[in-house]
Amino acid sequence: MIDLRKEFEIHGCIEVADDLSEEVFWNKFIDFIESNDWTFGGGINEIDDGFYINADGIMGKYVLDE
């Protein structure tokens, strides 16, 4: 029997309180996905004032430049 599943691709941003860390957000997001017996494939980028924040904490490219 074939396990029929489908996927949704999401493009967007989630706005959260300024004091919520990326790690805490990510863990809550993944917990939500897994609690529904779903899977997630992808990554996460932090954005501050319209600019990506690089892994080293330095401001990167403007989000609309991509």
Side-chain angles (χ1 to χ4, degrees):
M1 177 178 229
I2 298 174
D3 182 22
L4 299 177
R5 299 189 60 111
K6 64 179 169 182
E7 297 176 341
F8 297 100
E9 183 175 5
I10 300 170
H11 296 274
C13 295
I14 300 170
E15 187 173 333
V16 300
D18 191 48
D19 61 348
L20 183 69
S21 72
E22 181 180 306
E23 180 180 7
V24 170
F25 167 78
W26 187 248
N27 289 335
K28 288 178 178 282
F29 177 74
I30 295 301
D31 286 347
F32 170 73
I33 298 295
E34 291 175 347
S35 73
N36 285 284
D37 198 28
W38 303 335
T39 58
F40 177 80
I44 186 169
N45 292 305
E46 184 176 352
I47 299 170
D48 188 11
D49 288 330
F51 290 87
Y52 290 110
I53 303 302
N54 298 330
D56 60 5
I58 303 286
M59 189 176 291
K61 294 175 18 175
Y62 186 64
V63 296
L64 296 180
D65 285 346
E66 293 203 350

